[in-house]
Amino acid sequence: MSGGTVEHFEISLNTPAGQITTGIGVPTGFVPIASVVPLMRGLGAQVQTLEQEQVTASGQVISCRKGCSACCRMLVPLSAPEAFALAQAFDRYDETTKLALTARLDAAKRRLTEAGLWGRLTALAESQTPPSDEAVEPVNRDYYAVRMACPFLENDTCLIYHDRPSACRELTVTSPAALCDNLLSPAVRPVPVSVRVTTALGLLWAALTETAPRLIPLPLALDWARAHAEEQRREWPGTTLLDQALDQVWRYISQEFQRRKTTNS
């Protein structure tokens, strides 16, 4: 986060995989919502490291390796803050990279339009009501059926790796890599996730703006952020963003504790 004078805090989170304690710096001035995204991703990464350590300690092996990109054919959801952060990252790229990525996004739009999915994805991104699992699941399945590689993927390498969405960061599996040819199969064993950062950020945005949580498909994210540029420029005190972001994280973790308790009982 950036924005003038910085106040430092130490945060402790008790998660189903263990506890993390970390120090963060938060600006006391006003900052846009995208400023909180790196902080939240950092917390999510630390929590997910605990999950992976717990899994490997039980004797399981994480199958994911560099160059494995089977999951890059799935529909990746972003929250509004993540879409704004991706748009800001895109603006920092050099012109050659921007042109190349724009061409790839245009090609993806054409293919999704031909498959009858672009309009459905747009309706999902612009929905004024919270997206339900019943509404999202058919879109997820139809998108996966196209087997289109992510427009940001080239030669099994992510072109926006350092700016990739939280959903991409959180997905790892312990099932054999060969099973990832069909990620919808119940045989695929994902590593548990204590905190879904996209969900927490989506709820944060909804609380701040008094609107419904947004679910923005990755191929539309840049267009969506540009169409909502005025919202992107809104600012809040950095400490307010931190307090409310952590509140959403704690709520999610509490629900995850309860879900695992119910599953294991």
Side-chain angles (χ1 to χ4, degrees), residues 21-222:
T21 300
T22 185
I24 58 171
V26 180
T28 56
F30 282 71
V31 292
I33 188 68
S35 298
V36 81
V37 172
L39 183 154
M40 291 286 281
R41 285 178 178 165
L43 288 177
Q46 292 185 60
V47 173
Q48 203 55 25
T49 295
L50 290 180
E51 292 280 9
Q52 293 175 358
E53 289 174 349
Q54 194 172 76
V55 162
T56 54
S58 71
Q60 300 179 72
V61 177
I62 295 175
S63 308
C64 308
R65 297 290 184 272
K66 184 177 181 179
C68 174
S69 60
C71 55
C72 301
R73 274 78 182 166
M74 302 185 75
L75 181 60
V76 175
L78 280 74
S79 61
E82 290 176 291
F84 294 145
L86 182 59
Q88 290 179 5
F90 182 88
D91 289 341
R92 293 192 297 267
Y93 298 157
D94 61 68
E95 289 304 315
T96 300
T97 300
K98 288 180 183 178
L99 288 172
L101 292 178
T102 298
R104 300 178 73 86
L105 288 166
D106 288 344
K109 180 177 181 178
R110 289 193 296 272
R111 186 168 178 187
L112 292 169
T113 299
E114 291 168 1
L117 278 166
W118 187 262
R120 294 167 67 189
L121 296 176
T122 301
L124 190 62
E126 296 294 351
S127 175
Q128 299 299 311
T129 58
S132 66
D133 291 342
E134 293 75 16
V136 174
E137 186 58 25
V139 181
N140 270 331
R141 289 184 173 274
D142 291 347
Y143 185 98
Y144 189 57
V146 176
R147 293 299 177 106
M148 183 187 79
C150 173
F152 297 108
L153 185 73
E154 184 176 57
N155 297 326
D156 291 325
T157 299
C158 179
L159 298 174
I160 59 167
Y161 187 78
H162 294 293
D163 301 306
R164 69 196 187 282
S166 300
C168 303
R169 299 163 188 259
E170 294 163 356
L171 178 57
T172 51
V173 302
T174 57
S175 44
L179 295 178
C180 290
D181 284 342
N182 180 12
L183 285 165
L184 300 180
S185 167
V188 176
R189 297 190 303 271
V191 174
V193 179
S194 291
V195 180
R196 293 204 177 274
V197 172
T198 293
T199 300
L201 285 170
L203 292 171
L204 169 64
W205 177 252
L208 289 169
T209 60
E210 299 182 343
T211 59
R214 296 283 190 173
L215 193 159
I216 305 158
L218 180 56
L220 282 70
L222 293 181

Side-chain angles (χ1 to χ4, degrees), residues 213-265:
R214 296 283 190 173
L215 193 159
I216 305 158
L218 180 56
L220 282 70
L222 293 181
D223 286 345
W224 186 91
R226 290 165 183 151
H228 294 262
E230 185 173 343
E231 297 167 63
Q232 182 177 351
R233 288 190 289 269
R234 292 186 63 181
E235 294 185 338
W236 291 266
T239 51
T240 296
L241 290 181
L242 173 65
D243 287 344
Q244 295 201 30
L246 290 178
D247 182 62
Q248 297 300 338
V249 168
W250 285 321
R251 288 170 184 266
Y252 193 100
I253 289 175
S254 296
Q255 293 171 0
E256 185 63 13
F257 268 118
Q258 186 59 43
R259 188 193 68 79
R260 296 191 193 189
K261 181 180 179 180
T262 302
T263 300
N264 296 329
S265 62

